[in-house]
Amino acid sequence: METIIKVVIDICLLQKGPQDLPYSRALFYLSVLVYSFASIALLLLSTGFVDSMAQLLVEILLMYGFAWGLLKIVNHSTRFYQTATALFATDTLITLCAIPVFGAMLSGQSGGLFSLLTLALMLWHWLVTGHIFRHALSTSLVFGLCLALLYIIGSYQIMALFFSGS
């Protein structure tokens, strides 16, 4: 397990790609489970349990669906488990970094530092997601970043559509 965590950290540092993870359904399901706990911890800072669970379900479906659809379109569906595992695992790491920042902001600590940290986390998430798409599709980083931006903005819009009143 230590090796897997090291690969996930290396993916977050743009030193490795999803192809460096083992092809494993069990690892994929484990990454979704760990992602779920991290996401719930973040969501519970600002919303109730039922809303958090609903948002988590939509997040999982969006990430799963986008990765699966994208790989299916380009005929690389055999890369799905590694790609999806990388997406869920790296998102977990970034979410864990975001929890203290978001918690501090919600507790009334505001200012330039927390805004800067939030922006840095958002940019990091975009860059890592683009990096994963680049490797999964065997394409350029620019194209991977464009797809990541499409995914992030689309996900944000869908979440806002379903949960703007939450």
Side-chain angles (χ1 to χ4, degrees):
M1 186 54 70
E2 185 178 319
T3 304
I4 301 298
I5 294 169
K6 173 80 170 99
V7 172
V8 171
I9 291 169
D10 285 345
I11 294 170
C12 284
L13 296 174
L14 312 180
Q15 296 173 350
K16 293 197 176 185
Q19 69 276 7
D20 294 304
L21 289 167
Y23 181 92
S24 167
R25 286 183 184 192
L27 184 58
F28 163 71
Y29 292 125
L30 179 62
S31 71
V32 173
L33 181 65
V34 174
Y35 169 83
S36 297
F37 285 119
S39 290
I40 287 295
L42 181 65
L43 289 166
L44 284 173
L45 293 175
S46 63
T47 190
F49 182 75
V50 173
D51 286 340
S52 293
M53 293 302 290
Q55 287 181 40
L56 173 65
L57 179 62
V58 173
E59 287 175 5
I60 290 171
L61 291 173
L62 287 170
M63 196 177 315
Y64 182 100
F66 192 85
W68 183 86
L70 190 62
L71 292 167
K72 190 74 169 170
I73 288 170
V74 298
N75 229 7
H76 288 317
S77 55
T78 57
R79 298 179 182 183
F80 173 74
Y81 285 109
Q82 290 167 300
T83 302
T85 299
L87 288 168
F88 281 104
T90 57
D91 208 327
T92 299
L93 185 61
I94 295 167
T95 297
L96 291 173
C97 293
I99 289 171
V101 174
F102 194 57
M105 290 174 67
L106 287 174
S107 71
Q109 298 178 26
S110 60
L113 176 62
F114 292 108
S115 297
L116 189 60
L117 287 172
T118 301
L119 178 61
L121 287 166
M122 291 169 60
L123 290 173
W124 184 30
H125 178 249
W126 173 51
L127 184 59
V128 169
T129 303
H131 173 73
I132 291 168
F133 288 151
R134 165 183 58 167
H135 284 281
L137 303 173
S138 300
T139 189
S140 69
L141 179 59
V142 171
F143 189 71
L145 288 171
C146 289
L147 288 171
L149 189 61
L150 174 70
Y151 166 72
I152 291 167
I153 291 173
S155 296
Y156 178 80
Q157 292 299 314
I158 290 168
M159 295 302 285
L161 178 69
F162 287 132
F163 302 105
S164 63
S166 297

